[in-house]
């Protein structure tokens, strides 16, 4: 295969005493004509190659057919109306429906599919005013993290004139007088085509917008000019009389907690915050409040989180009280319902457990019985006397349950409200096993293995291993049409690895895979692959790996370190240049996870595994497909472009396997990507995997 031959410039720099070449530095300019030409050259090779893959057509047709089923979100109440998100099957974007009560035929309330012909304009966050009369929602174009905030009335569906720009990573929190909301914005972006710029996102500020006024008159509530990387978010308490401000400096789950009184449930004349927690040593997720007593979920001195109360009349830390102490399992989230009950969701060996407690004492009321899997959706607030939650697993496409909590204090029953059915799918035909394997340093690490129940362990099964391993993010069982097609029609095995770096076992598990310990994540993933081969599930030529974002870093680093172990690599929007990631868009926030390349000691951590700088100089590299989007302003495309250029230059001439990149247009990091694009991209990935692993279609 003949690859492009992009210009190699003589860019070098001295990093902590080491001379480092960066011959493709010019690819960091996404708007440069040379970069655009290079992208076109790569796509002109990749797209025809993928189109010719044996199962591409049948996989895509089957995926479109099986993905075409109704998808429901949990109903939630705002004001006097109920709402739910719904997709009839193949709609590019979910539609928000309004109804008088759950079970009624709803009517379309907000349909993003009408915003653009190709579905590339999407809706993100939504927030109703306290009385449910006004909806604020964010709109994104082409998958960019940049948002526009718009407003509409719930009774007439009339769109208001108010429009807020320059918004990214924003809260949306209404004052309870219904007059306006708090939100975040950055200084005006420097490009007309938002989403393609690479400028660092700094100096985020907290504003208040009053309905009916121009954005130029919005009130600046908080700025931190001496700390350009810090980000101030906020929410209004359930009683409406308190503003809770959270100040973070990166992606580590810690932040400051400041509080301000809101007179008459509106905006104060000036802001003088009470600093409840003014150090970056804990995270505080607000649950509810009873007058001056606030309830938080925190990891302060609790690696697996606990629930505490803070009395604002005596807010010093030595006066805080534990309501639900830390347990062996991880407290993932908690919500107050009915004013006096807590719903808690724990992760126990990577599956979810749901419990109900008394709010003020933490006393356990009951466990909600669930099979092994995940709670992937929830609704129920302090003023509600009911909850809805959605359950899912690798072989269960989803069940929404309803619980009436209006009477009594125990023996509440979870009733099926809506069950997902997919034609031709019978969960009894498949099995999921959890296997604990031993990593390089002796740590026990779990993985889930899903396959046909009649699988033969002969070492010849095409296998796809997926992982993330970072940012305290936990992977839990979830259903995927594409993965089930891989299992059913290609005889495949799907494996999800719960490595260190994630949050599956709390902060200790996370920290064991971050900063100086990042190599543990790669060791865990490699050990998982070795274990699958040892157990005769598969063998290296039949083993593919896949990951996105931090997971893209994972699979690229593992391919560099153990190219002999894998037959194919799918790397979505990966963080691949670990020497310069902090210089672009929101990359500076990841230094809490990876380290600061400008500090010599921390650069040494990165130097050992940075995918761009550790490509083997010789040998056979596994078949590789990188994927990125031209509007990815989270992990900007330059990471993938520089990596594939270096990989092709170093190994391409002699490598027997394809080394390709697929650059999508009008596409970002992943959020908001229309269904049509998702299905095409997914079919390309699995067609590539099938070709490289020698998997054949079986009807």
């Amino acid at each position: 295969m003949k690859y492009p031959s992009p210009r190699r410039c003589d860019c070098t720099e001295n990093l902590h005493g080491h001379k480092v070449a960066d011959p493709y530095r010019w690819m960091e300019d996404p708007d440069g004509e040379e970069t655009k030409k290079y992208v076109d050259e790569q796509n002109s090779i990749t797209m025809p190659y993928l189109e010719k893959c044996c199962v591409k057509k049948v996989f895509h047709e089957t995926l479109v057919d099986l993905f075409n089923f109704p998808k429901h979100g949990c109903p939630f109440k705002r004001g006097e109306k109920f709402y739910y998100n719904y997709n009839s099957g193949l709609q590019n974007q979910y539609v928000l429906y309004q109804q008088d009560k759950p079970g009624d035929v709803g009517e379309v309330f907000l349909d993003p599919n009408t915003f653009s012909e190709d579905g590339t304009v999407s809706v993100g966050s939504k927030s109703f005013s306290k009385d449910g009369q006004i909806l604020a929602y964010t709109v994104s174009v082409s998958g960019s993290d940049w948002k526009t905030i718009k407003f509409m009335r719930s009774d007439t569906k009339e769109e208001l004139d108010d429009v807020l720009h320059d918004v990214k990573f924003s809260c949306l929190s209404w004052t309870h007088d219904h007059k306006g909301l708090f939100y975040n914005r950055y200084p005006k972006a420097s490009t007309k085509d938002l989403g393609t710029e690479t400028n660092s996102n700094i100096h985020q500020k907290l504003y208040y917008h009053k309905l009916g006024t121009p954005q130029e008159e919005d009130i600046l509530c908080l700025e931190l000019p001496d700390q350009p990387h810090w980000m101030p978010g906020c929410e209004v308490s359930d009683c409406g009389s308190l503003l809770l401000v959270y100040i973070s400096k990166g992606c580590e789950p810690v932040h400051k907690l400041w509080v301000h009184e809101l007179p008459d449930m509106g905006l104060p004349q000036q802001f003088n915050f009470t600093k409840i927690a003014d150090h970056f040593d804990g995270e505080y997720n607000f649950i509810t409040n009873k007058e001056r007593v606030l309830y938080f979920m925190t990891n302060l001195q609790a690696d697996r989180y606990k629930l505490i109360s803070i009395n604002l009349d005596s807010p010093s830390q030595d006066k805080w009280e534990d309501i639900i102490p830390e347990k062996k399992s991880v407290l993932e989230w908690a919500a107050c319902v009915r004013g006096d009950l807590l719903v808690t969701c724990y992760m126990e060996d990577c599956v979810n457990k749901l419990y109900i407690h008394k709010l003020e004492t933490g006393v356990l009321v009951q466990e909600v019985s669930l099979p092994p899997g995940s709670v992937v959706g929830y609704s129920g607030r302090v003023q509600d006397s009911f909850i809805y939650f959605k359950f899912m697993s690798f072989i269960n496409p989803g069940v929404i349950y309803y619980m009436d909590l209006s009477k009594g204090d125990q023996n509440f029953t979870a009733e099926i409200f809506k069950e997902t059915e997919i034609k031709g799918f019978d969960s009894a035909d498949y099995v999921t096993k959890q296997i604990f394997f031993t990593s390089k340093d002796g740590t026990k690490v779990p993985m889930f293995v899903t396959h046909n129940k009649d699988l033969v362990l002969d070492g010849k099964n095409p296998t796809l291993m997926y992982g993330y391993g970072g940012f305290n993010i936990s992977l839990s069982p979830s259903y995927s049409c594409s993965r089930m097609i891989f299992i059913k029609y290609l005889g495949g095995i799907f494996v999800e690895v719960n490595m260190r770096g994630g949050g599956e076992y709390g902060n200790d598990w996370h920290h064991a895979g971050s900063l100086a310990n990042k190599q543990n994540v790669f060791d865990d993933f490699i050990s998982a692959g070795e274990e699958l081969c040892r157990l005769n599930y598969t063998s290296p030529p039949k083993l593919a790996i896949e990951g996105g974002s931090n997971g893209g870093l994972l699979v690229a680093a593992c391919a560099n370190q153990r190219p002999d172990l894998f037959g194919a690599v799918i790397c979505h929007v990966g963080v691949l240049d670990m020497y310069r990631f902090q210089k672009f868009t929101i990359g500076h926030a990841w230094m809490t996870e990876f380290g600061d390349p400008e500090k010599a000691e921390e650069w040494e951590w990165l130097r050992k595994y940075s995918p761009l700088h550790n490509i083997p100089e010789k040998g056979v590299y596994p078949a590789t497909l990188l994927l990125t989007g031209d509007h990815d302003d989270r992990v900007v495309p330059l990471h993938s472009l520089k990596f594939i250029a270096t990989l092709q230059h170093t190994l391409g001439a002699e490598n027997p396997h394809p080394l390709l990149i697929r650059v999508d247009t009008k596409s970002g990091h992943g959020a908001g990507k229309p269904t049509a694009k998702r299905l095409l991209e997914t079919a390309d990935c699995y067609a590539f995997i099938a070709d490289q692993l020698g998997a054949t279609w079986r009807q």
Side-chain angles (χ1 to χ4, degrees):
M1 185 176 291
K2 183 173 176 57
Y3 299 109
S5 299
R7 174 175 62 90
R8 291 173 60 83
C9 66
D10 59 359
C11 176
T12 59
E13 55 188 339
N14 188 299
L15 295 178
H16 311 293
H18 298 265
K19 187 177 181 180
V20 177
D22 194 1
Y24 302 116
R25 178 72 63 88
W26 55 268
M27 293 184 186
E28 294 180 1
D29 177 10
D31 298 319
E33 290 305 316
E34 195 173 9
T35 305
K36 293 178 180 179
K37 179 176 180 289
Y38 175 68
V39 168
D40 289 342
E41 289 174 345
Q42 290 286 3
N43 276 338
S44 70
I45 296 171
T46 300
M47 301 314 290
Y49 182 92
L50 295 174
E51 205 61 38
K52 292 178 182 178
C53 289
C54 294
V55 304
K56 165 65 185 294
K57 185 174 184 294
V58 66
F59 195 102
H60 184 250
E61 290 174 349
T62 305
L63 180 58
V64 170
D65 183 43
L66 294 183
F67 196 80
N68 189 12
F69 64 90
K71 304 165 185 67
H72 296 261
C74 293
F76 59 94
K77 189 177 184 182
R78 296 294 183 268
E80 298 302 316
K81 297 287 188 179
F82 281 85
Y83 298 85
Y84 64 97
N85 290 298
Y86 175 76
N87 191 307
S88 61
L90 297 175
Q91 290 175 284
N92 277 320
Q93 304 291 342
Y94 274 74
V95 179
L96 182 63
Y97 279 76
Q98 184 188 73
Q99 58 189 174
D100 291 327
K101 63 179 186 297
D104 286 356
V105 177
E107 59 181 36
V108 173
F109 180 69
L110 179 63
D111 184 2
N113 297 291
T114 64
F115 296 175
S116 63
E117 290 186 3
D118 59 4
T120 55
V121 179
S122 61
V123 168
S125 303
K126 308 180 192 75
S127 178
F128 281 87
S129 58
K130 178 68 174 178
D131 58 6
Q133 291 299 305
I134 306 292
L135 170 67
Y137 62 95
T138 63
V139 175
S140 170
V141 178
S142 299
S144 170
D145 278 336
W146 287 109
K147 314 292 185 187
T148 299
I149 301 176
K150 296 187 175 184
F151 301 83
M152 66 183 296
R153 293 193 59 85
S154 63
D155 51 358
T156 63
K157 304 182 182 63
E158 172 193 1
E159 189 169 296
L160 305 187
D161 293 334
D162 304 61
V163 179
L164 308 180
H165 300 283
D166 304 315
V167 175
K168 185 185 276 197
F169 311 125
S170 178
C171 61
L172 291 175
S173 191
W174 291 83
T175 48
H176 286 200
D177 61 4
H178 325 304
K179 293 181 179 179
L181 54 64
F182 297 95
Y183 73 101
N184 299 97
R185 79 175 194 239
Y186 284 93
K188 198 165 187 65
S190 61
T191 178
K192 293 181 180 179
D193 189 9
L194 293 181
T196 63
E197 82 290 344
T198 60
N199 312 63
S200 186
N201 301 139
I202 56 176
H203 295 298
Q204 190 193 57
K205 301 176 184 180
L206 181 65
Y207 284 88
Y208 181 83
H209 173 73
K210 184 178 180 181
L211 289 177
T213 64
Q215 187 176 14
E216 293 73 21
E217 296 179 9
D218 287 353
I219 297 168
L220 176 61
C221 304
L222 181 62
E223 62 178 336
L224 303 160
D226 296 332
Q227 300 292 345
H229 292 161
W230 290 12
M231 300 168 66
C234 77
E235 65 181 307
V236 175
S237 64
D238 286 337
C239 66
S241 62
L242 299 168
L243 178 66
L244 311 174
V245 172
Y246 312 107
I247 300 172
S248 62
K249 63 174 181 178
C251 293
E252 180 73 6
V254 294
H255 55 233
K256 295 172 181 278
L257 171 63
W258 297 356
V259 176
H260 199 288
E261 306 277 349
L262 296 178
D264 300 320
M265 299 187 184
L267 205 63
Q269 292 295 317
Q270 59 183 12
F271 288 92
N272 296 300
F273 294 98
T274 300
K275 299 178 180 180
I276 304 298
D278 203 31
H279 301 283
F280 293 109
D281 55 3
E283 181 179 28
Y284 308 91
N285 296 322
F286 177 69
I287 308 302
T288 191
N289 68 293
K290 291 276 192 178
E291 297 180 345
R292 303 281 292 172
V293 178
L294 281 63
Y295 295 85
F296 292 94
M297 190 182 96
T298 184
N299 58 7
L300 181 69
Q301 300 174 0
D303 284 328
R304 294 178 297 280
Y305 289 85
K306 62 182 179 179
L307 198 129
I308 65 171
S309 65
I310 301 175
N311 191 322
L312 291 183
D313 293 328
S314 51
S316 61
Q317 187 176 325
D318 62 319
K319 301 293 185 182
W320 298 0
E321 294 185 7
D322 285 0
I323 302 300
I324 301 179
E326 181 183 15
K327 299 181 179 181
K328 291 183 178 180
S329 49
V330 179
L331 177 58
E332 287 205 317
W333 55 264
C336 182
V337 66
R338 208 185 71 174
D340 65 341
L341 295 178
L342 275 172
V343 180
T344 61
C345 183
Y346 282 84
M347 174 165 279
E348 185 174 315
D349 281 335
C350 309
V351 298
N352 285 145
K353 304 282 189 178
L354 210 57
Y355 301 92
I356 299 176
H357 305 256
K358 296 293 291 183
L359 170 64
E360 296 186 37
T361 63
V363 171
L364 178 65
V365 173
Q366 74 177 74
E367 179 180 354
V368 180
S369 180
L370 292 173
S374 307
V375 177
V376 297
Y378 171 84
S379 71
R381 299 179 301 163
V382 63
Q383 61 264 51
D384 297 327
S385 59
F386 57 83
I387 64 171
Y388 290 87
F389 63 91
K390 188 171 185 177
F391 170 85
M392 186 179 285
S393 75
F394 292 112
I395 57 176
N396 185 325
V399 181
I400 297 176
Y401 291 93
Y402 163 77
M403 292 186 74
D404 181 357
L405 305 177
S406 62
K407 299 176 182 178
D409 286 332
Q410 58 185 352
N411 299 322
F412 302 116
T413 302
E415 303 173 359
I416 293 178
F417 172 74
K418 189 79 66 174
E419 190 164 10
T420 302
E421 295 182 359
I422 300 176
K423 60 184 177 183
F425 172 76
D426 185 350
S427 62
D429 294 336
Y430 310 94
V431 294
T432 295
K433 301 175 184 177
Q434 188 177 42
I435 296 173
F436 285 81
F437 61 91
T438 303
S439 191
K440 183 177 180 179
D441 64 356
T443 301
K444 292 292 185 182
V445 180
M447 61 179 169
F448 289 103
V449 180
T450 303
H451 54 76
N452 284 302
K453 65 179 182 180
D454 58 354
L455 181 81
V456 177
L457 297 181
D458 59 4
K460 299 177 181 179
N461 301 294
T463 300
L464 176 59
M465 194 167 71
Y466 177 84
Y468 188 78
F471 292 91
N472 202 44
I473 292 173
S474 302
L475 296 184
S476 59
S478 63
Y479 182 84
S480 163
C481 274
S482 57
R483 293 168 182 170
M484 295 312 299
I485 292 172
F486 176 66
I487 292 170
K488 181 175 182 177
Y489 294 103
L490 290 169
I493 300 172
F494 175 72
V495 181
E496 185 171 275
V497 188
N498 300 103
M499 299 156 295
R500 285 173 284 185
E504 289 88 346
Y505 293 96
N507 279 352
D508 284 346
W509 191 253
H510 169 218
H511 293 149
S514 64
L515 299 175
N517 300 318
K518 190 66 177 177
Q519 181 60 40
N520 286 336
V521 184
F522 314 138
D523 290 341
D524 290 354
F525 204 57
I526 289 169
S527 297
E530 293 173 335
E531 181 73 356
L532 291 169
C533 295
R534 187 187 73 80
L535 295 175
N536 230 24
Y537 279 102
T538 191
S539 55
K542 296 286 187 179
L543 179 57
I545 54 176
E546 181 180 25
S549 196
N550 175 76
L553 159 63
L554 164 73
V555 297
C558 289
N560 284 346
Q561 294 180 18
R562 285 296 307 275
D564 60 304
L565 185 58
F566 311 112
V569 180
I570 305 293
C571 176
H572 300 265
V573 294
V575 185
L576 305 174
D577 184 349
M578 304 308 295
Y579 294 0
R580 293 175 59 78
F581 71 88
Q582 81 284 5
K583 297 180 178 293
F584 309 106
T585 63
I586 198 61
H588 58 79
W590 313 335
M591 290 191 291
T592 56
E593 183 75 14
F594 301 134
D596 184 351
E598 296 182 10
K599 296 179 179 177
E601 179 186 0
E602 298 180 17
W603 182 77
E604 286 293 336
W605 307 339
L606 302 165
R607 185 167 73 96
K608 295 174 182 178
Y609 70 81
S610 176
L612 177 63
H613 305 94
N614 285 277
I615 293 171
E617 294 183 359
K618 59 182 179 179
V620 176
Y621 204 83
T624 299
L625 176 63
L626 275 67
L627 299 98
T628 187
D630 64 347
H631 282 71
D632 187 350
D633 48 4
R634 185 85 56 87
V635 181
V636 288
L638 63 90
H639 287 271
S640 296
L641 298 180
K642 291 166 70 173
F643 182 85
I644 197 65
T646 305
L647 184 61
Q648 291 173 347
H649 174 79
T650 306
L651 297 173
E654 303 296 331
N655 204 61
H657 309 302
L659 308 171
L660 303 172
I661 186 170
R662 181 188 192 275
V663 184
D664 198 12
T665 57
K666 299 181 73 175
S667 178
H669 197 59
K673 184 175 291 185
T675 297
K677 277 182 173 289
R678 288 184 185 274
L679 299 186
L680 278 171
E681 180 179 295
T682 300
D684 281 344
C685 291
Y686 279 93
F688 184 83
I689 291 170
D691 258 33
Q692 306 313 314
L693 304 189
T696 56
W697 192 266
R698 60 185 195 183
Q699 195 61 39

